[in-house]
């Protein structure tokens, strides 16, 4: 039961990142460059693979910097 809830929560968080990236108007390629990963890897993280904590922290900081502009 907990796994099902955490899976849906994880999906919600990832969708939130996708929406935030779209809202910035910056391409995923540019975000990936700032994260130091490939565009393909970012796509995997946003769509299916678990995102490592250090990448998630960097992504949050990048999105925050764009939202404050």
């Amino acid at each position: 039961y907990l796994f099902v809830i955490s899976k849906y929560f994880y999906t919600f968080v990832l969708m939130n990142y996708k929406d935030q990236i779209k809202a910035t108007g910056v391409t995923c390629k540019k975000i990936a460059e700032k994260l130091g990963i490939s565009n393909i890897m970012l796509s995997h993280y946003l769509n299916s693979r678990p995102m490592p904590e250090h990448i998630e922290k960097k992504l949050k900081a990048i999105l925050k910097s764009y939202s404050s502009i």
Side-chain angles (χ1 to χ4, degrees), residues 6-44:
S6 62
K7 181 179 177 184
Y8 286 111
F9 178 74
Y10 186 73
T11 302
F12 173 75
V13 170
L14 290 181
M15 292 302 292
N16 194 18
Y17 286 141
K18 285 182 185 180
D19 292 340
Q20 288 180 32
I21 290 170
K22 285 180 184 178
T24 64
V26 180
T27 63
C28 282
K29 185 175 181 177
K30 186 73 172 174
I31 299 284
E33 286 174 5
K34 289 186 174 270
L35 289 170
I37 61 174
S38 69
N39 186 31
I40 294 168
M41 200 69 217
L42 178 59
S43 178
H44 283 301

